[in-house]
Amino acid sequence: ETGVTQSPTHLIKTRGQQVTLRCSSQSGHNTVSWYQQALGQGPQFIFQYYREEENGRGNFPPRFSGLQFPNYSSELNVNALELDDSALYLCASSLGLGDTPLHFGNGTRLTVT
Amino acid sequence: ILNVEQSPQSLHVQEGDSTNFTCSFPSSNFYALHWYRWETAKSPEALFVMTLNGDEKKKGRISATLNTKEGYSYLYIKGSQPEDSATYLCAFQPPNTNAGKSTFGDGTTLTVKP
């Protein structure tokens, strides 16, 4: 059983640039959720994709966008990067049903300078 | 905005001590409460999913209880070991959602000293 993998592990970008983060979901999982975790805080829900469609969004501006592919892997894109976007970005896959728990990747650490 | 609070923020204990920490959540509109353990340099790992008031779940030396009427869950670790050092996150899942849309607390970071 393949776990959730995220790439890259670390990334440094300049304010105003664009970034794409990638997530491969666990085998058989059709739902991917993305989170932003700032230092000292819990993960904040960005959005969720289910079978290639956005299935809910947290309180994040439109410059945060995503995609899910037919193999259920997913991308998080952030345009016009701001300093406050510096954070750990986590993705988690699941079956998207009821209370089945999440399977997380190790995260991508994004630093915006 | 749902308020999910965890206390304490951090905890330092000696090996062998037993410890517990709290997750507080809205007592209305409850569906499930998740606990995750997050070790440094690893990914968060699911510990428990709790759904029924009065639930008690156990995994080895770790157990959790749930009180949905008053809106809290306790996580207990008996005889802490250095390998228990991690951040413990709780996540509140309202009805008509899935676990991915849960609201997370800020976590309790446990350090167990040998």
Side-chain angles (χ1 to χ4, degrees), chain A residues 10 13 19 36-37 52 56-57 83 85-86 90 94 97-98 110:
Chain A
H10 294 86
K13 289 285 189 178
V19 69
Q36 180 193 68
Q37 199 221 6
E52 302 178 60
R57 187 178 185 93
L83 297 179
D85 296 333
S86 296
L90 290 165
S94 67
L97 301 171
L110 173 65

Side-chain angles (χ1 to χ4, degrees), chain A residues 54-68:
Chain A
E54 187 177 289
N55 183 39
R57 187 178 185 93
N59 190 26
F60 281 82
R63 58 190 186 83
F64 285 77
S65 63
L67 279 175
Q68 188 179 32

